Amino acid sequence: MPIRKVLMPPPAMNIAHVSRDVQVPPTPANSGFRTECTKPSSDDFFGVSFDDTAENNLLSHVLLEVSFVIVVTRVLRFLLKPLRQPRIVSEILGGVLVGPSVLGHNRKFAEYAFPDSANFVVRNVGAMGFMYFLFMAGVRTDMAMVWRSAKKHVYIALTGFFVPWFVVIGIGLFMRRSMSDAYGDWLSIGVLGSSTAITAFPVLYPILKELNILNSEVGRLALSSAIVVDMLGIVAIVILEATVQVESGSNDGLWCLAAVLLTVAIMYVGTRAAVSRIIRNTPEGKPVDQTYIVAILVGVLVTGFVTDFLGVAIGNGPLWLGLMIPDGPPLGTTLVERSDTIIMELLMPFSFMFIGQSTDLAAMGKAWSDLKPICAIVAIGHFTKVVTCLLSGLFIHMPVADGLALGLILTLRGQVDLLLFVHWLQKKVHIAHDEHNPNLFASIHTYHSSLLLLVGFPNEMQVIQPQVYTMMVMLSVLVTAVSTPLIGILYDPTKPYMVNRRRTIQHTPPSTELGVVLKIHDEEDTAKFINFIEASNPTVSSPISIYGLHLVEIVGRGYPRLLDHEKLAQYSTYAIYETIHQAMKVYQESKSECISYKAYTAMSPKRTMFRDICELALINKATLILLPYHKNLPQNHHRIVLVSAVLANAPCSVGILLDKGHFRSNSMLAVNPTDFQAQFHQLVLLFLGGADGREALYYADRMVGNQNVRLTVVRFLAYDGEGDDEMEKKLDDGAVTWFWMKNEMNRRVNYREVEVRNGEETVATVHAMNDNTFDLWIVGRKHGINPVLLRGLEDWSENSELGVMGDYVSSLYCDAAASVLVVQQQVLREQKHWLRRMGVGVM
């Protein structure tokens, strides 16, 4: 007699499992069955069942799988970090490791740990993870970059896309006869060409961010080119989908294309109207309301359903929706801040498990003899892409190393490529052969794999076979794993700042313009910089050009930008930025005969903001970069790290201003130069020698030209010349002699020399001078200082950015109420060949 099993629910709380008899009343439907009741296995481990009744603990299995893949991925990231591997490599390998290729290859382990019911949930949540990933990538993308891209960016994008595509298609058609029928059809070759040619912006952004080259010259060029290629790729994929359906005169493809265009138009009109209303209802400077964020995230699922229903890849809808939402504040920033962590850390592990479950290395190994031609075609395609980008770079006068790095960047593979591979793996075509021409597809109709599981269509063919899919996934990992460390070796983003031309205050003639880059963080910085510049004695014969830079962390945007406010219709999205730059503009207009001002805003990651400062100084040929310093911040704070990075890479001299209120006496919003002229400023220069000390001396000489500034110069000398460097001593003597001869008759200048034996005597001299009558201490940072003058103080210093003496006079131990200016003279760095970074000597 047939047996009908009835699954009893698991016991609640701590109630023990009990056997129970169930009486099932006989009915016509079950009269022919003997009914048995089964209970969950007694071998549960913390609620996880390890038998054929695992459906009872579906949630536990899903949680186990995701936790396992997250732990494996984290371990792989830790192990691969010394090899400079990006995050995407460890995530893909983690998914493959728990899939049927490695751990899942053991049948018992797969049945116990990863039952089919749990895998079904993982695959569907993984698809949702890809959808939200593409949506966030679309939000970060600035569509206007397609039109704003320079000609060289478009040139590199087009050549980097079409040349590899034609090469792969041509070689594939040429080798088609030597390939098996399962792998050599025209559709598979087209997929190979498209996947090799396309460079996805969502893939490049996180990898370049990890490499800290997002706002570098090559990084910007790669991102701009990728955006152009993505637009071509979106069009190509839609056309390819329609082509599959329109083959041999079918009208399905035309209807599909028309439906897609209509959907995009409706999305564009509806989304733009909704977004405009959301932005209008959001107070300036405030985040978007949570209700709108939830509605948009639900819209991601709806657009995914619509595009999947139309037969287009499920990720297209969310990507289109993201592209229609403006990047940056307020909406784009709020979306990224509130959703990015959940998507990347919680949903994407499901996605990589989804990828791993479809990967089977054993099956690929068995079919390797048939896969060799395909592997060769893909390798040739990537090589062609690198060579094409290199030649394109040489055409626009890029260095060879930078051109190679650009080519390697544009070959990086990641999440978008994996999603396309899965889509083509699951997409099937139904083939009916023409009796008169069996080699011609009479009709091709596409169906989604979910429908094909329910209805058994004959003569089905996958667009790419599982073995090809596995090979493409592993080639993506290999290409990214090899390219990423090579990019770091080939490309040095700080190389442009390694100039050999002197850009210092000492070497700037008095009658020439002084270019100063101001890093402005907030309104207080603006106030003190205005007064400090006024103290620096700008005159008609010796004017000052100010380049004010406000730094903004790039959140909700994917493309770093350096904005020149003169070329913008409005200053910024937030009013505070306009206030800052307007205050500087008011001051400049009051001193227009001797001061010029240009406002800039840079949007970039915190870790690489220093490059925007150095780049602005480089392109404007500035002589001095002036940075604010806040000593109450921890050493790992990004503003402190920024100062250290600028000091290490600046193409000119650097000044660090730690203001204690002496340069904030005037109102920032009502700048009146006559107010400053009514004040006298007492400055003191601690001259310890060296290049930095000489630079500080020359800047102090410029400031003393202001009739309202008094200056005291104290030169420290080692007792009996102990520890003196002969060359540095001569240079110091020459600078001091020049200064004294120039200011000997100036009653506002005092000069004296002190001999000391160690750092203790140096500190004692500073203490004796500190009567709180000074407004500003000026010191050189560190280069060229006789170590005897600071003996015993090196270990005490906590803020290396300020140097030993700068750190001391700004500390509580000194008890000085005056502000502090620390000066570092430009450090000339020899441009080294990239091979030297690998330990290879170059003649």
Side-chain angles (χ1 to χ4, degrees):
M1 176 181 294
I3 299 176
R4 171 178 291 169
K5 291 187 177 182
V6 179
L7 186 64
M8 299 297 295
M13 303 301 288
N14 294 323
I15 303 176
H17 291 282
V18 294
S19 300
R20 62 191 72 182
D21 296 329
V22 178
Q23 300 294 332
V24 181
T27 64
N30 62 19
S31 58
F33 293 88
R34 178 168 62 86
T35 303
E36 291 184 356
C37 294
T38 62
K39 62 182 180 66
S41 171
S42 59
D43 298 328
D44 287 357
F45 180 71
F46 292 107
V48 180
S49 176
F50 293 102
D51 66 356
D52 58 355
T53 62
E55 291 81 359
N56 282 318
N57 297 284
L58 178 60
L59 177 61
S60 299
H61 278 282
V62 172
L63 297 178
L64 175 65
E65 289 189 38
V66 177
S67 302
F68 186 67
V69 75
I70 291 176
V71 170
V72 170
T73 300
R74 292 286 181 175
V75 172
L76 287 174
R77 286 178 63 183
F78 175 78
L79 295 176
L80 295 177
K81 189 175 182 179
L83 301 178
R84 306 175 72 175
Q85 293 301 311
R87 172 177 176 171
I88 183 65
V89 171
S90 59
E91 289 175 330
I92 298 175
L93 292 179
V96 172
L97 187 62
V98 300
S101 298
V102 186
L103 297 178
H105 192 65
N106 185 302
R107 181 176 300 178
K108 289 186 177 181
F109 178 84
E111 291 177 352
Y112 291 162
F114 307 130
D116 291 339
S117 55
N119 289 340
F120 175 79
V121 176
V122 168
R123 287 192 292 269
N124 284 275
V125 178
M128 292 173 57
F130 277 124
M131 291 166 58
Y132 280 108
F133 173 83
L134 290 176
F135 168 72
M136 284 300 169
V139 171
R140 288 190 175 97
T141 303
D142 183 6
M143 287 291 292
M145 288 305 303
V146 178
W147 319 116
R148 288 199 301 260
S149 297
K151 291 182 179 180
K152 64 179 182 179
H153 296 186
V154 177
Y155 171 74
I156 290 177
L158 295 180
T159 55
F161 176 82
F162 285 109
V163 173
W165 189 82
F166 282 120
V167 169
V168 170
I169 296 297
I171 295 177
L173 294 176
F174 178 77
M175 299 178 60
R176 185 176 178 183
R177 294 184 179 180
S178 61
M179 300 165 63
S180 63
D181 294 337
Y183 306 142
D185 62 277
W186 68 271
L187 198 53
S188 297
I189 295 174
V191 169
L192 292 179
S194 300
S195 63
T196 305
I198 292 176
T199 299
F201 175 86
V203 173
L204 295 190
Y205 174 79
I207 298 179
L208 295 184
K209 190 174 182 180
E210 286 186 60
L211 292 174
N212 293 324
I213 59 175
L214 197 62
N215 62 339
S216 64
E217 181 182 0
V218 171
R220 287 193 178 101
L221 179 57
L223 290 175
S224 181
S225 301
I227 292 175
V228 176
V229 171
D230 283 354
M231 298 304 105
L232 295 175
I234 291 174
V235 175
I237 289 174
V238 172
I239 293 176
L240 185 59
E241 297 274 5
T243 303
V244 172
Q245 301 186 38
V246 81
E247 182 70 20
S248 298
S250 173
N251 291 326
D252 292 345
L254 297 178
W255 283 110
C256 173
L257 186 59
V260 168
L261 295 176
L262 179 62
T263 301
V264 171
I266 294 174
M267 286 177 59
Y268 181 81
V269 175
T271 302
R272 284 294 179 179
V275 166
S276 299
R277 182 174 181 179
I278 291 173
I279 294 176
R280 284 197 307 270
N281 294 337
T282 302
E284 190 171 9
K286 300 294 183 180
V288 176
D289 187 79
Q290 185 75 10
T291 304
Y292 296 129
I293 300 299
V294 173
I296 293 173
L297 294 179
V298 172
V300 174
L301 302 177
V302 174
T303 55
F305 165 78
V306 171
T307 51
D308 188 47
F309 178 79
L310 295 176
V312 188
I314 196 171
N316 280 286
L319 178 61
W320 298 341
L321 179 62
L323 292 173
M324 295 173 188
I325 294 177
D327 63 326
L331 186 54
T333 300
T334 306
L335 278 169
V336 172
E337 287 178 341
R338 297 187 180 179
S339 309
D340 198 54
T341 300
I342 295 177
I343 293 171
M344 296 304 300
E345 304 297 339
L346 184 61
L347 292 182
M348 288 307 292
F350 285 92
S351 303
F352 293 109
M353 285 192 65
F354 180 22
I355 296 298
Q357 288 174 1
S358 304
T359 305
D360 192 346
L361 294 176
M364 184 189 75
K366 294 177 181 178
W368 180 245
S369 59
D370 294 328
L371 294 175
K372 285 182 180 180
I374 300 179
C375 183
I377 292 173
V378 175
I380 293 173
H382 286 305
F383 178 77
T384 304
K385 194 177 188 71
V386 173
V387 173
T388 301
C389 293
L390 172 61
L391 296 178
S392 300
L394 294 176
F395 181 76
I396 60 174
H397 309 294
M398 286 183 67
V400 175
D402 293 1
L404 283 173
L406 177 63
L408 292 172
I409 290 173
L410 295 180
T411 60
L412 295 173
R413 308 288 100 179
Q415 296 89 338
V416 175
D417 307 278
L418 299 178
L419 181 59
L420 286 175
F421 297 156
V422 171
H423 174 68
W424 293 121
L425 174 67
Q426 293 187 341
K427 197 172 189 65
K428 299 183 180 182
V429 293
H430 176 62
I431 307 169
H433 293 285
D434 192 340
E435 296 179 357
H436 303 286
N437 188 0
N439 295 323
L440 178 67
F441 292 148
S443 63
I444 298 181
H445 302 282
T446 60
Y447 302 93
H448 291 292
S449 56
S450 57
L451 296 177
L452 290 167
L453 293 175
L454 300 176
V455 183
F457 286 105
N459 301 324
E460 295 169 2
M461 181 187 71
Q462 291 173 302
V463 176
I464 60 173
Q465 300 299 313
Q467 296 85 349
V468 177
Y469 164 82
T470 301
M471 186 196 69
M472 295 296 290
V473 170
M474 299 314 297
L475 283 177
S476 298
V477 175
L478 180 62
V479 169
T480 304
V482 172
S483 298
T484 304
L486 288 178
I487 294 168
I489 294 172
L490 287 168
Y491 182 57
D492 180 10
T494 64
K495 187 171 61 176
Y497 317 137
M498 299 179 185
V499 295
N500 290 320
R501 184 176 180 179
R502 286 288 186 183
R503 293 182 179 176
T504 68
I505 301 168
Q506 179 181 358
H507 298 90
T508 300
S511 58
T512 57
E513 185 179 68
L514 180 69
V516 180
V517 173
L518 301 182
K519 185 269 178 183
I520 305 174
H521 179 72
D522 52 24
E523 296 168 340
E524 287 190 356
D525 289 345
T526 309
K528 63 189 177 187
F529 281 148
I530 288 176
N531 289 279
F532 184 80
I533 292 296
E534 183 67 24
S536 300
N537 191 34
T539 62
V540 176
S541 60
S542 182
I544 296 179
S545 293
I546 305 173
Y547 307 97
L549 177 63
H550 186 81
L551 298 175
V552 180
E553 184 181 6
I554 184 170
V555 179
R557 286 187 171 98
Y559 187 82
R561 298 178 64 187
L562 180 62
L563 303 176
D564 184 348
H565 286 213
E566 289 185 354
K567 301 178 181 179
L568 299 178
Q570 58 181 3
Y571 278 100
S572 177
T573 305
Y574 291 143
I576 184 175
Y577 306 153
E578 182 177 357
T579 303
I580 289 172
H581 292 302
Q582 277 293 87
M584 295 296 299
K585 197 68 177 176
V586 169
Y587 171 67
Q588 181 270 326
E589 290 174 353
S590 68
K591 306 277 290 186
S592 58
E593 72 282 356
C594 57
I595 290 180
S596 62
Y597 177 73
K598 293 190 67 175
Y600 295 86
T601 296
M603 295 176 289
S604 58
K606 286 182 178 179
R607 295 177 62 183
T608 55
M609 284 179 174
F610 72 94
R611 291 199 192 120
D612 297 303
I613 299 175
C614 295
E615 181 180 353
L616 187 62
L618 185 67
I619 61 179
N620 289 293
K621 299 180 180 180
T623 304
L624 178 69
I625 296 174
L626 195 57
L627 306 173
Y629 193 85
H630 303 270
K631 200 168 183 180
N632 57 339
L633 297 176
Q635 281 294 296
N636 60 351
H637 193 277
H638 73 92
R639 290 167 69 177
I640 304 299
V641 175
L642 174 69
V643 172
S644 299
V646 172
L647 288 170
N649 298 281
C652 61
S653 296
V654 180
I656 304 172
L657 180 61
L658 192 156
D659 182 40
K660 297 183 180 180
H662 291 81
F663 288 98
R664 290 199 298 264
S665 57
N666 291 334
S667 171
M668 183 195 71
L669 298 177
V671 179
N672 185 358
T674 59
D675 293 340
F676 178 86
Q677 293 171 4
Q679 305 173 25
F680 284 92
H681 286 256
Q682 185 71 42
L683 314 181
V684 57
L685 169 65
L686 303 179
F687 184 79
L688 282 76
D692 295 348
R694 295 189 293 272
E695 190 76 354
L697 180 65
Y698 275 84
Y699 197 80
D701 175 72
R702 180 184 183 95
M703 297 180 75
V704 83
N706 190 310
Q707 297 298 316
N708 299 299
V709 170
R710 294 189 180 96
L711 174 66
T712 299
V713 178
V714 180
R715 183 183 184 185
F716 291 85
L717 299 170
Y719 185 77
D720 286 341
E722 180 185 357
D724 282 342
D725 180 276
E726 184 176 352
M727 180 58 69
E728 290 289 346
K729 183 68 164 51
K730 289 182 178 179
L731 293 174
D732 293 343
D733 291 341
V736 171
T737 302
W738 166 85
F739 173 81
W740 181 241
M741 290 180 64
K742 180 181 178 182
N743 295 281
E744 184 177 6
M745 305 304 295
N746 191 340
R747 295 183 179 181
R748 292 179 289 104
V749 177
N750 295 316
Y751 173 83
R752 61 192 179 102
E753 296 181 352
V754 179
E755 284 191 347
V756 295
R757 292 180 173 84
N758 50 44
E760 183 179 355
E761 294 187 4
T762 303
V763 169
T765 303
V766 174
H767 264 292
M769 297 172 51
N770 184 23
D771 56 1
N772 287 329
T773 59
F774 297 117
D775 298 313
L776 179 68
W777 298 83
I778 305 176
V779 297
R781 182 168 175 256
K782 68 175 184 178
H783 295 112
I785 297 178
N786 186 339
V788 173
L789 304 179
L790 302 175
R791 183 187 296 163
L793 300 180
E794 295 87 348
D795 296 335
W796 173 88
S797 179
E798 297 177 351
N799 303 92
S800 59
E801 305 83 20
L802 301 177
V804 176
M805 187 52 62
D807 192 17
Y808 177 74
V809 296
S810 63
S811 68
L812 297 176
Y813 299 99
C814 183
D815 195 27
S819 301
V820 180
L821 175 66
V822 179
V823 181
Q824 173 183 281
Q825 191 176 70
Q826 175 197 14
V827 180
L828 295 179
R829 288 173 290 272
E830 179 185 2
Q831 298 191 25
K832 299 179 180 179
H833 194 278
W834 64 271
L835 286 175
R836 287 179 178 170
R837 302 171 63 193
M838 303 175 61
V840 180
V842 180
M843 299 300 294

